[in-house]
Amino acid sequence: MKYLKREISNKLVSILKTDYEINPGDVQFSIPPDRKFGDLSTTIPFVIARRIQEKPREVGEAILKEIKDGFDMFSEIKLAGGGFLNFRFKKDFLLSYLLENQDRQPEACPGKVIVEHTSINPNKSAHIGHLRNSCLGDTLNRALRFMGYQVEVQNYIDDTGVQVADVVWGLLVLRKMNLRQIREIENLAHYLWDLYSQVHKMVEEQEDITREIREVLKKIENKQDPEYSVSDYISREVLLNHIQLMEIAGIQYDLLVRESDIIELDFFAKAAEILKKNRIMYPSRDPEKEGCWVIRYDRENIEKIVIRSDQTVTYIGKDIAYALWKMGLLPGDFYYEEFYRYSDQHPLQMTRSKSHEPEFDFGHASRVYNVIGKRQSYLQNIISQVLDALESGNRGQDFVHFSYEMVALTPRCVQEMGFELTPELRTRAHIDVSGRRGIAVKADDLMEKLTEKSLEEVLSRNPDMKQEVADRIARQIAMGALRYFMVKFNSNSVIAFDFQDALTFEGDTGPYLQYTLVRLNSIFKKIGSQADESHPGPPDLDLLDEKELTIYHELLLHISLLDSQIEFALDSSELSVITSYTYVLCQKCNHYYHQFSILAEKNPRVRQLRLSLIGLIRKKLEVLFEIIGIPVPERM
RNA sequence: GCGCCUGUAGCUCAAUGGAUAGAGCGUUUGACUACGAAUCAAAAGGCUGGGGGUUCGAGUCCCUCCAGGCGCACCA
C-alpha cells in the first residue's frame, strides 16, 4: 500500500495543483471505520478548506468533480460526512494487485543506519529489563532492514566501570578467591548476580569498602594483576553469556564496542578538540565548578560538567566521543578482532585498541538509533544538542534516542520471588527492578520458565511426540511468547511484569500468532499431498457470496497495509504498531477460515480463491514474524 | 525549583486530530466425528481523572487543577 498510496496521492496532486496549492505531504490516507464509506479515505478537502477559508463540504464537492474520472482502479469516489473523500477499489483490483506484487523487494535506501542496543554491564546476569531493550532493538533492526536500509548493530560494553570493580572486589577480597578458582565457577553470571547485590549491600553499610573498591578500580585501570586479569576474565565471560543468551532469542550483533578501547585510544581527546573548536564546551564561570569544562544544556538551562576539576572525564564525555565516532565526525578509528561466530556463521567483531585487523568499515552512519531507556533522555538530548551545534552541520535529528519505559515488577511478583516488602511498597502499582539489590527476574530464568510451560502445553496436546521435537517446538513457542510480549506494549508505558501474564499463551500473545500460521501451513501441507487438479482459471470474485466477499475484501485491504504499517512504526518510533497489526491480521484470518472451509470446498474455483487469500496471508505473516523475531514451529 | 512521561471497561492494554472509543484476560453462554478448541461465536461491562479552550471534528492539541511515575551528581 505504501507504493499504491504514493501513486494515488501523486495523481491527486497532479490533478488538483492547477486549482489549489497542495503537495503530496498534504494527502493523508486512512482506512474508513466502516466499509460502507469505502476502502480508502482522505481528508484533503478539510486541509484545503482551512487553507482557503471555505467550507470543507463545498471544497470536497469541487474536488470530486475534478478527480472523478481520473482513476482506473476505483469503482467509486464519494464525498461523505463533513468532507471525507472516500474511494472504493474495483472488485478485482486489490487481489490482482497483491498477487502481482507479493514478491516485490523494497527499494534500497541510501546510507547506513546504526542501531545500538542491549549494552548490558558485563558483571552479572541479564535481567528482564535488558530483554525489553534487546527485543525492541532487534525488531527495530529487522524493521529497518525490511524497509531497505543497511543496518549495523552495535552493542556497547562498559567493561571499565565500578560495577565490574564491585564484583572483582567481591571475588578477591570477600570470597578470597584466585583466578584459577574463579575460572571454575559454574554459571559465573548467576554467581555474580548474588555477589553483586551482596557487595552493594555492604557498600551501603560500611564506608571503607567504597575506598577498597576504588583501589581495585585503580589497579584495573593500571592493568595490575590479579585485579586486571580477573576483571578481564569476568567481563569477557559474562559478555559471552549475554551474547549466547540473546542468540537463543534470535538476536545478533555486528560489533561490540568496548569502553576500555574508547579510553585506550583516547577518543575523548579528539572529541574535546572538536567541542572546544565549536565553542560547545568551555571552562565554567560558576565558582562552584571552578576548573571544570562544561556544556550548556539549553532546555533545562543548566551546565553539564564534562571535565571535572581534577581533569578526569565524566560519563557524558565518553558518550559524546562514541556518538561522534558513530556519526563519522571523529577522526580516528578502532581496531577489530572477531569475538564470536554465530551458529549461522555470522561473525561478531569486537573493538581493540591495538592493531589486529583494521580492515573493517564500522561507524560513520547517516543515522543512529540508540535503544536506551527513557531515564537517559536527559543525556541523549544533550548529545543531540551537541550534534546540532557543530559547524559541520545539524546532525542532531540523525541521532535518535529510541526510548522506552522500564520493565517493573508487580508487588505480587516480587513477593513470589521471596523478597520482603514494606506495606508502602505493597500498595504500589509496580516496583522498579534493581540489579544492585538483586530484585529482578533474570533473563535466563524467565526464558527457562517460558520453555517449561510451553513444553507442558505441547506435550498435553501431542502426548506421542518425540522428546527432541517437543523440546524444539517448546523453545520456539517460548521465544515467540517472549518476543511478542516485549514489543506489544507502547514504548511509553511501564511494563508491570507478572509471571501470570507473561506465561499466558492465549489471546493477545505470540503463541496465538504462531498457532494461526501453523494452521495455515498445515492446510498447504495437505493441499500439497493431494493430487493437483486442473487449473481452475482466472480468479473471479463474483463466485463468492456477499457475506464472504465482505470478509475476503476486508482481509485483502488489511494485508495491503503491511509496508505502510512498518513505515509508520518506524516514523513514530512505536514498534507495538507492528505487533498489533499482526495480531489483528491473525484475528481476521482465523475469523475467516473458521467460517469458510478450504479443503472441503467442492467448487475448485472458489477453493482457488480462498487459497489465494490465505496464501497471501501466509506470506505476509512470515514477513511479520521475521520482523518481530517470532519462530515458526512445524506444529503446535 | 526546572524538565519529561502517564491517567481509557473489574484487570492488562489498543486507538496516525477523523466517522459508532476497540482487543485480550476475567465473568456468563454456546461450538471439537471438522482445514488443529493455544481456536471460534455471543452477552454484559465506558461522562477516556475534573474543568476550560482551539477546531468542521478532541481520548489525542493548548491552558488549568487533581492523582501517580521518572530525570535533573565533579556516580557510571
Side-chain angles (χ1 to χ4, degrees):
Chain A
M1 192 67 100
K2 186 179 125 197
Y3 298 104
L4 199 55
K5 280 181 181 170
R6 196 189 293 165
E7 193 184 320
I8 299 167
S9 74
N10 284 343
K11 197 152 189 186
L12 263 178
V13 170
S14 75
I15 297 173
L16 295 175
K17 72 176 174 208
T18 47
D19 293 315
Y20 308 99
E21 229 178 86
I22 65 167
N23 54 67
D26 295 332
V27 191
Q28 297 293 331
F29 290 103
S30 61
I31 307 291
D34 192 314
R35 218 47 58 232
K36 75 179 181 223
F37 294 121
D39 298 323
L40 208 55
S41 175
T42 170
T43 54
I44 192 72
F46 292 112
V47 177
I48 293 175
R50 176 168 312 196
R51 215 165 280 172
I52 61 173
Q53 298 285 315
E54 277 183 37
K55 291 205 170 113
R57 183 88 203 182
E58 284 163 22
V59 174
E61 270 156 21
I63 291 175
L64 184 60
K65 256 181 220 149
E66 289 194 50
I67 63 167
K68 210 163 186 171
D69 305 313
F71 295 88
D72 304 333
M73 66 185 82
F74 299 121
S75 61
E76 184 182 77
I77 305 175
K78 276 203 315 204
L79 197 64
F84 294 97
L85 202 53
N86 294 333
F87 306 85
R88 191 182 300 283
F89 287 112
K90 282 184 178 159
K91 208 175 200 177
D92 292 322
F93 175 78
L94 270 181
L95 180 61
S96 46
Y97 179 83
L98 287 166
L99 287 172
E100 273 164 34
N101 289 286
Q102 61 179 326
D103 296 314
R104 184 168 184 170
Q105 295 297 313
E107 297 158 11
C109 303
K112 179 169 79 179
V113 179
I114 288 177
V115 174
E116 183 211 320
H117 68 81
T118 303
S119 306
I120 309 171
N121 288 332
N123 71 332
K124 59 180 180 306
S125 295
H127 61 63
I128 189 169
H130 301 125
L131 280 176
R132 187 177 194 184
N133 182 304
S134 307
C135 291
L136 285 171
D138 191 53
T139 296
L140 174 63
N141 160 37
R142 289 157 179 257
L144 286 165
R145 290 207 170 134
F146 170 79
M147 294 301 291
Y149 289 98
Q150 186 203 335
V151 185
E152 180 176 302
V153 182
Q154 299 188 357
N155 181 355
Y156 183 75
I157 310 300
D158 182 359
D159 56 348
T160 62
V162 283
Q163 304 90 340
V164 179
D166 284 348
V167 290
V168 171
W169 178 86
L171 289 167
L172 292 174
V173 180
L174 190 64
R175 298 277 156 92
K176 299 188 176 24
M177 293 171 110
N178 58 38
L179 186 56
R180 194 182 53 78
Q181 290 167 310
I182 292 167
R183 282 178 191 276
E184 279 165 12
I185 295 172
E186 221 174 293
N187 202 339
L188 183 67
H190 272 206
Y191 184 91
L192 295 177
W193 177 276
D194 296 328
L195 180 62
Y196 183 60
S197 62
Q198 191 188 345
V199 170
H200 185 257
K201 203 171 170 195
M202 292 174 76
V203 166
E204 277 185 336
E205 286 160 7
Q206 308 168 45
E207 214 164 280
D208 45 331
I209 293 176
T210 313
R211 225 171 304 125
E212 285 185 32
I213 291 175
R214 208 170 297 146
E215 290 296 310
V216 170
L217 185 59
K218 219 173 264 171
K219 285 180 180 166
I220 294 171
E221 279 167 6
N222 297 331
K223 305 205 168 172
Q224 268 180 51
D225 278 337
E227 287 80 1
Y228 175 71
S229 300
V230 171
S231 129
D232 189 57
Y233 172 74
I234 61 173
S235 60
R236 285 188 90 95
E237 200 61 24
V238 174
L239 174 59
L240 185 64
N241 172 275
H242 295 162
I243 297 298
Q244 288 172 335
L245 179 84
M246 293 306 173
E247 187 180 12
I248 293 171
I251 299 166
Q252 298 189 353
Y253 314 88
D254 300 310
L255 179 65
L256 302 170
V257 176
R258 290 193 300 187
E259 181 160 305
S260 58
D261 293 320
I262 291 179
I263 294 169
E264 194 82 5
L265 291 164
D266 211 357
F267 274 17
F268 179 72
K270 296 182 175 114
E273 233 172 85
I274 296 171
L275 295 178
K276 285 176 187 169
K277 207 175 80 191
N278 285 272
R279 300 202 182 141
I280 294 167
M281 185 172 75
Y282 54 89
S284 177
R285 286 193 203 90
D286 185 339
E288 279 183 19
K289 294 173 185 165
E290 205 185 327
C292 296
W293 287 69
V294 296
I295 288 176
R296 171 154 205 87
Y297 181 41
D298 298 332
R299 191 164 179 171
E300 293 178 35
N301 200 18
I302 51 173
E303 281 183 340
K304 180 75 192 164
I305 292 170
V306 183
I307 303 178
R308 303 186 189 99
S309 52
D310 65 1
Q311 301 309 302
T312 54
V313 183
T314 62
Y315 175 69
I316 193 171
K318 294 166 204 163
D319 250 19
I320 291 171
Y322 179 33
L324 289 172
W325 174 79
K326 279 177 175 168
M327 303 287 278
L329 299 170
L330 194 88
D333 199 358
F334 297 103
Y335 300 99
Y336 304 98
E337 175 187 49
E338 186 171 315
F339 175 77
Y340 184 72
R341 184 62 71 130
Y342 289 105
S343 58
D344 65 358
Q345 295 308 307
H346 178 80
L348 170 58
Q349 303 293 333
M350 180 189 246
T351 57
R352 299 278 303 185
S353 51
K354 293 199 179 67
S355 176
H356 264 260
E357 290 176 63
E359 305 284 315
F360 291 98
D361 192 27
F362 293 116
H364 53 80
S366 50
R367 199 180 329 144
V368 171
Y369 288 96
N370 297 306
V371 182
I372 303 177
K374 182 149 271 170
R375 291 182 184 180
Q376 304 262 13
S377 297
Y378 163 69
L379 287 167
Q380 291 290 309
N381 286 340
I382 294 177
I383 297 172
S384 191
Q385 187 200 293
V386 166
L387 290 168
D388 262 339
L390 292 174
E391 275 170 20
S392 48
N394 303 354
R395 297 291 304 280
Q397 78 269 15
D398 299 326
F399 191 79
V400 183
H401 177 201
F402 197 93
S403 87
Y404 62 93
E405 265 292 357
M406 294 293 136
V407 181
L409 307 175
T410 62
R412 189 180 65 186
C413 181
V414 175
Q415 282 175 313
E416 273 170 12
M417 293 193 325
F419 294 98
E420 293 281 323
L421 286 183
T422 60
E424 192 266 324
L425 281 176
R426 229 169 289 163
T427 60
R428 290 250 198 143
H430 44 74
I431 293 164
D432 275 14
V433 302
S434 165
R436 288 183 172 181
R437 296 204 163 78
I439 302 178
V441 176
K442 293 198 234 2
D444 41 11
D445 286 351
L446 172 63
M447 284 160 68
E448 201 176 303
K449 273 202 172 170
L450 281 165
T451 312
E452 268 170 32
K453 173 86 187 297
S454 313
L455 186 62
E456 209 176 284
E457 301 282 336
V458 171
L459 288 176
S460 76
R461 291 170 173 80
N462 309 279
D464 301 330
M465 191 180 265
K466 271 199 217 154
Q467 188 65 38
E468 183 195 325
V469 179
D471 281 339
R472 182 172 65 236
I473 291 171
R475 277 196 300 273
Q476 290 176 316
I477 293 170
M479 290 314 115
L482 177 72
R483 302 238 7 190
Y484 186 81
F485 185 84
M486 286 301 170
V487 296
K488 81 173 203 179
F489 299 93
N490 255 332
S491 50
N492 258 340
S493 58
V494 177
I495 298 181
F497 179 86
D498 198 301
F499 281 106
Q500 218 165 61
D501 297 335
L503 292 173
T504 300
F505 297 158
E506 282 160 26
D508 187 11
T509 67
Y512 173 89
L513 307 188
Q514 290 174 311
Y515 187 65
T516 306
L517 184 51
V518 165
R519 284 170 77 187
L520 288 186
N521 282 338
S522 113
I523 293 173
F524 281 96
K525 241 179 253 168
K526 293 211 168 135
I527 280 281
S529 64
Q530 281 177 14
D532 195 13
E533 290 166 51
S534 59
H535 294 287
D540 179 4
L541 289 168
D542 285 326
L543 291 164
L544 306 180
D545 65 28
E546 202 188 306
K547 186 180 168 207
E548 180 172 2
L549 188 62
T550 307
I551 306 172
Y552 196 100
H553 185 75
E554 192 68 29
L555 267 162
L556 288 177
L557 200 55
H558 200 256
I559 288 169
S560 71
L561 294 175
L562 189 143
D563 49 6
S564 38
Q565 286 293 301
I566 306 294
E567 191 175 44
F568 175 61
L570 290 171
D571 288 348
S572 56
S573 290
E574 192 51 81
L575 299 178
S576 60
V577 168
I578 302 172
T579 46
S580 59
Y581 169 72
T582 311
Y583 177 59
V584 173
L585 178 56
C586 286
Q587 266 188 324
K588 285 184 196 283
C589 175
N590 287 335
H591 171 76
Y592 175 75
Y593 80 75
H594 229 270
Q595 285 182 75
F596 303 101
S597 97
I598 291 156
L599 295 178
E601 173 57 41
K602 297 278 188 323
N603 184 338
R605 299 188 66 193
V606 171
R607 192 168 63 185
Q608 188 57 39
L609 273 176
R610 291 180 184 166
L611 272 172
S612 299
L613 178 64
I614 65 160
L616 280 168
I617 295 172
R618 181 162 79 137
K619 226 163 203 171
K620 300 294 175 186
L621 283 181
E622 280 165 357
V623 169
L624 290 161
F625 278 36
E626 181 66 28
I627 293 173
I628 307 168
I630 300 175
V632 187
E634 63 240 58
R635 47 187 296 211
M636 283 175 80

